[in-house]
Amino acid sequence: MLSLLTTTKRLSVAEVAADLEVSESTVRRDFMEMERAQLARRTHGGIVAVDVAYSLASVPRAADEGSAQRERVADRAASLVEPGQIIGFNGGRTTTSAARRAVSRSDLDSRDGTPGLTVVCAALNIATEAVLRPSVRTVVLGGVAEPYSFELTGPLATATMRDLWLDTMFVGTVGLDLGAGLTCNSDAEAGVTRIMIGHSRRVVGLATADKIGHRALAGICPVSVLTDLVIAGPVPEDLRAHLQESSVRLHEV
C-alpha cells in the first residue's frame, strides 16, 4: 500500500481490495492502522498520503526461526519508551524492529513544536523507519555506512555523537557472553555504540537466546553496564545471577 501511495498519493478501499484480492473490511482495518501509525490520513472511502518519503521505507528481511523471538523483544523494548524522550539505536534486526514499533506508537503526538519522540539513529535503515513519522524528530549520525548493518561509523559519527545526549539507548548485539559482554562484528560499529551508551541515562540490551554464550570480534560493553536486558528464550542461571549482582533489570519475553 505504501508503494502505491508513492505514485498515486490517494487510494480507495475498493481499488486496493481488487488489486490485492482481499476483502474491503480487511483494507479498512489496514487503513485505520496506517492512520494510527501516521503513515496516511483517512478520507471518505480511502486514504491520502501524508508528506513523507515512502520510497525510503526499508524492506523487512525474510522471516526465520528467530523472528518471533526478535519481535517479542522489540515489542517489550518499544513499551519502555515514553513520549517525548530522546532515544538511540545501533544497527541490527532486533533494534530495527524495536525502532519500527516505537515510532509507530499512537501516543506520540507532536505538540507546541515539541516532537513526540526524538530518535538518534546510528543506522540508515532505522532512520528511514523514523523519518516516515511526522511526530518523530529523526537525528542521523554522519559517517561511513557499513554495507551489511547500514551502521554509520568513523570520525564523523563519533564527533556528532559526542555532542548529543540520550534518555535511553537500545543496544542490539551479535553475542552476549559473561566474560566478553555484548559484542558485534565490527570494531568501528562498536566504537560508535560505546559513545552512545556513555551518553545515555538508561541502556537497554536487546537479545535472543541464541546470542548467549557467543563472542563476536569487537566488544561493545560489559553486561554490567546495562540498566536493563530484554531477552527472549531461556536464560542460563549464571547469567541470571550476574544480572542480579550487577543490578541489571531482566525482562524475559
Side-chain angles (χ1 to χ4, degrees), residues 87-169:
I87 63 175
F89 296 92
N90 67 340
R93 286 180 290 179
T94 306
T95 49
T96 299
S97 295
R100 183 181 299 123
R101 288 173 179 261
V103 301
S104 63
R105 281 177 39 172
S106 59
D107 58 342
L108 301 179
D109 295 327
S110 180
R111 297 177 181 176
D112 301 323
T114 302
L117 190 69
T118 298
V119 179
V120 179
C121 308
L124 290 174
N125 62 319
I126 293 178
T128 63
E129 295 283 353
V131 78
L132 291 172
R133 321 291 173 164
S135 64
V136 176
R137 177 171 56 184
T138 305
V139 180
V140 185
L141 304 184
V144 178
E146 298 291 321
Y148 297 105
S149 66
F150 312 117
E151 287 200 54
L152 295 161
T153 62
L156 283 175
T158 55
T160 302
M161 192 59 227
R162 288 193 182 101
D163 292 328
L164 302 177
W165 298 93
L166 309 174
D167 294 309
T168 303
M169 173 64 186

Side-chain angles (χ1 to χ4, degrees), residues 223 237-250:
V223 175
E237 287 304 317
D238 57 347
L239 175 58
R240 191 183 298 273
H242 181 69
L243 294 172
Q244 188 170 11
E245 291 170 3
S246 304
S247 299
V248 178
R249 290 182 291 269
L250 175 62

Side-chain angles (χ1 to χ4, degrees), residues 146 149 153 174 183-191 194 216-220:
E146 298 291 321
S149 66
T153 62
V174 174
T183 56
C184 67
N185 292 321
S186 166
D187 59 339
E189 293 174 11
R194 281 195 296 270
L217 171 68
I220 297 173

Side-chain angles (χ1 to χ4, degrees), residues 183-205:
T183 56
C184 67
N185 292 321
S186 166
D187 59 339
E189 293 174 11
V192 176
T193 303
R194 281 195 296 270
I195 296 176
M196 298 180 80
I197 289 171
H199 282 220
S200 182
R201 289 191 178 97
R202 187 178 189 183
V203 182
V204 182

